[in-house]
Every structure is written in C-alpha cells, then in structure tokens.
C-alpha cells in the first residue's frame, strides 16, 4: 500500500516536472506542456516568411543600431543565463536582428531569438538606448518561453493535449490542424497593405510585466541606461493621441501601472547599469 502511494506520488511529481518550468529571474512557475525547443522549426519558418515578403533594410545607421543593441543584449542574456544554470533556455536559438521598412509602430521577437523592428517604431525609440528598451523587452518574451507557455494553454483549451499528455508531436498527432492554427493565431503574418507585417497576439498581463522586468535588467547589464525605459513609455503613450494608435500599443498598453512598476524596479536596474559601465568604460553608454 505504502509502495503504491509512493509510486503515485512519484508519478505525480514527474508530471509536475514535465509540465512546469520556472521563468529565469522572476522564478514564476509556468505551465509548460511542450518543450519550447519544439517551436523553433515553426518559428524559423514564419520568420523567414515575414522577411521574404517584406522590405528588409540591409545597411544604414538604423540597421547598425538595431543590430548592435541586439548583440549587446544577447551577450548579457547569455552571460546571465549561463551563470544561473538556465542556459538550456537558449538551446537551438539562432539569433537574428532585422529592420523592415514599414510605417508599423511595432517590433517583436519570435521564439529562438528572431527579432524584427519596423522603421515606424524607431522615431519613438529615438536613439540606441530607446531601441535597447524595446529590444530588451521583446527578447525577454523569448527568454521566458512565453510562446511555449501560450501554445501550451492553447493546446489544452483546444483539446489537442489531454490530461497527462505532453509534447508538440503528441498534439500534432491528436489534432494537426488545430495545433497549426494555434501557432498561426499567435505568430502570424498579416498583409494589410503593400507589404506584409508579422504580428504577435498580446501577451498576458503577467507576461508583459515579466518582460518589462527582464528587459530592464538585461539592457542595464548590456550598459544601456535603464532610466530611458520610463521616457520611452511616456513617448509611446503620447503617440497614442491623435490618428491611428501605434500597433505596439494594442499589445503593450502604456498605462500608469506599467510606468510605476518600472520605477519600482529602477534602483536595482541602475545599480546593474553602473556596475556594467564601471567595468567596461570603453564600451559604456552610447
Ligand atoms: Zn511585450
């Protein structure tokens, strides 16, 4: 009897281990019914499709700034995750930072480190530090496996995975079309005008504040002044007045609670920033 109970308890904890994952830095437990690595082939295909159907800028100061901010934040992300035993999160990543010429006020990062900035968001970013605010936030969604978390929720809701089942392969075998649709619903390509624009459905409130916190930390570690984040969100809020509100705002509300959360996190982020710029004077703030 005791043995039976022991086996049941072990099985239950095994399911928990497989189905749950901790977010780096915040430590939040997330429901994870698939391995985020399983999403990478779909992500890379979708990303390529966006690039193939868009006007990708190859050179110029805007491209240089986006790529430099991306690489610097990538380095701090890799250093942090390696030092904290989270490097498995980055398995299979194929980082890429691209700028698409399009008025859309938007930027995103698909699973596996596939980043796009639209030229429409660059005036609101204003400079490289502003780009680092958006870059840090978007990369953090990928680092925190928010895509796999949302996919897990979708698979459960659509019945593609039932109790005790895990894995994208299982979901594909159960309900191939639904599984494909959930992905396309989260990370799809819309063609509103001449050029197509990739889109990503809004994250949950939890995921948003998590990406804010991680993003602030990683930009500071990369030597970008995190205080620029508050200014950026205020400029973004101002841009919502007038004509069409920026696409970014529909997925990222620039409300008071976001700004006050950022302000709460600021003292620690500034410490990290001072540490990183003190240690690397030559590559400090740009
Ligand atoms: Zn976000």
């Amino acid at each position: 009897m005791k043995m039976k109970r022991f086996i049941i308890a072990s099985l239950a904890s095994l399911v928990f281990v497989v189905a749950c994952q901790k977010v780096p830095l915040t430590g939040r437990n997330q429901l994870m019914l698939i391995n985020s690595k399983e999403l990478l082939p779909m992500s890379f295909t979708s990303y390529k499709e966006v690039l193939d159907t868009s006007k990708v800028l190859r050179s110029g100061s805007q491209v240089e700034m986006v790529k430099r901010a991306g690489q610097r934040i990538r380095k701090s992300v890799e250093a942090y995750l390696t030092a904290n035993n989270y490097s498995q999160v980055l398995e299979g990543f194929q980082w890429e930072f691209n700028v698409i010429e399009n008025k859309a006020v938007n930027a995103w990062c698909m699973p596996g480190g596939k980043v796009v900035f639209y030229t429409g968001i660059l005036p609101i970013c204003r400079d490289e530090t502003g780009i680092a605010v958006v870059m840090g936030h978007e990369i953090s969604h990928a680092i925190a496996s928010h895509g796999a978390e949302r996919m897990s929720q979708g698979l459960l809701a659509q019945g593609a995975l039932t109790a005790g089942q895990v894995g994208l392969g299982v979901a594909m075998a159960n309900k191939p079309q639904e599984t494909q649709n959930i992905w396309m619903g989260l990370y799809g390509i819309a063609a509103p005008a001449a050029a197509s624009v990739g889109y990503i459905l809004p994250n949950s409130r939890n995921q948003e504040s998590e990406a804010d916190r991680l993003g602030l930390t990683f930009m500071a570690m990369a030597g970008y002044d995190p205080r620029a984040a508050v200014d950026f969100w205020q400029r973004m809020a101002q841009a919502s007045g007038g004509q069409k509100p920026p696409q970014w705002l529909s997925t990222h509300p620039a409300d008071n609670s976001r700004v006050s959360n950022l302000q709460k996190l600021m003292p620690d982020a500034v410490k990290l920033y001072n540490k990183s710029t003190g240690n690397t004077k030559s590559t400090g703030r740009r």
Side-chain angles (χ1 to χ4, degrees):
M1 194 59 200
K2 260 187 185 164
M3 191 59 183
K4 197 177 168 194
R5 233 182 272 154
F6 172 75
I7 292 171
I8 291 172
S10 311
L11 282 177
S13 67
L14 188 69
V15 169
F16 180 81
V17 168
V18 173
C20 269
Q21 191 173 298
K22 264 196 198 316
V23 175
L25 215 134
T26 70
R28 178 175 67 88
N29 270 318
Q30 48 187 179
L31 173 77
M32 209 50 96
L33 299 180
I34 58 169
N35 186 321
S36 50
K37 251 173 93 175
E38 292 179 291
L39 287 181
L40 298 184
M42 288 199 291
S43 177
F44 297 166
T45 304
S46 294
Y47 187 75
K48 188 176 178 300
E49 224 172 314
V50 173
L51 295 188
D52 286 349
T53 54
S54 306
K55 190 177 175 199
V56 181
L57 297 181
R58 298 290 172 197
S59 59
S61 61
Q62 293 177 320
V63 175
E64 282 166 26
M65 281 196 292
V66 168
K67 288 190 191 287
R68 192 164 49 226
Q71 292 295 354
R72 281 174 63 176
I73 292 174
R74 168 198 177 165
K75 268 191 206 142
S76 62
V77 163
E78 287 172 345
Y80 176 86
L81 294 179
T82 306
N84 291 277
N85 294 322
Y86 273 113
S87 51
Q88 78 281 358
V89 167
L90 293 173
E91 270 171 33
F93 265 54
Q94 292 180 17
W95 295 95
E96 225 178 306
F97 310 98
N98 281 296
V99 180
I100 289 174
E101 191 174 303
N102 192 295
K103 284 200 216 67
V105 179
N106 209 0
W108 41 256
C109 176
M110 283 188 184
K114 297 292 194 187
V115 176
V116 157
F117 270 66
Y118 295 94
T119 45
I121 201 171
L122 296 177
I124 302 177
C125 293
R126 195 177 278 173
D127 54 18
E128 191 172 322
T129 308
I131 289 172
V133 173
V134 176
M135 184 71 75
H137 177 96
E138 285 307 316
I139 283 180
S140 295
H141 280 307
I143 298 305
S145 306
H146 287 160
E149 186 178 17
R150 296 199 293 164
M151 197 73 194
S152 298
Q153 291 158 351
L155 293 172
L156 209 56
Q158 295 285 313
L161 288 177
T162 51
Q165 290 189 319
V166 289
L168 191 65
V170 176
M172 279 295 217
N174 289 346
K175 294 199 171 180
Q177 196 55 52
E178 285 84 349
T179 302
Q180 193 72 27
N181 289 349
I182 297 166
W183 168 264
M184 287 310 290
L186 290 174
Y187 301 92
I189 300 164
S196 50
V197 178
Y199 68 90
I200 294 183
L201 274 194
N203 284 278
S204 73
R205 193 87 205 185
N206 249 349
Q207 293 171 330
E208 273 307 304
S209 55
E210 205 157 67
D212 278 346
R213 178 171 163 196
L214 268 65
L216 205 64
T217 306
F218 293 135
M219 78 176 283
M221 285 173 66
Y224 292 106
D225 192 336
R227 286 164 287 208
V230 172
D231 302 336
F232 167 81
W233 283 106
Q234 280 161 353
R235 285 199 298 278
M236 186 54 88
Q238 274 164 16
S240 68
Q243 344 83 348
K244 228 176 117 206
Q247 204 179 359
W248 167 273
L249 272 180
S250 66
T251 53
H252 294 84
D255 49 24
N256 291 336
S257 72
R258 183 186 292 266
V259 171
S260 70
N261 276 340
L262 284 171
Q263 276 160 339
K264 265 183 232 150
L265 298 167
M266 206 53 77
D268 283 342
V270 169
K271 266 184 223 155
L272 282 174
Y273 168 66
N274 288 337
K275 198 174 152 207
S276 74
T277 49
N279 289 344
T280 54
K281 274 208 171 74
S282 56
T283 55
R285 190 178 178 181
R286 285 166 208 247

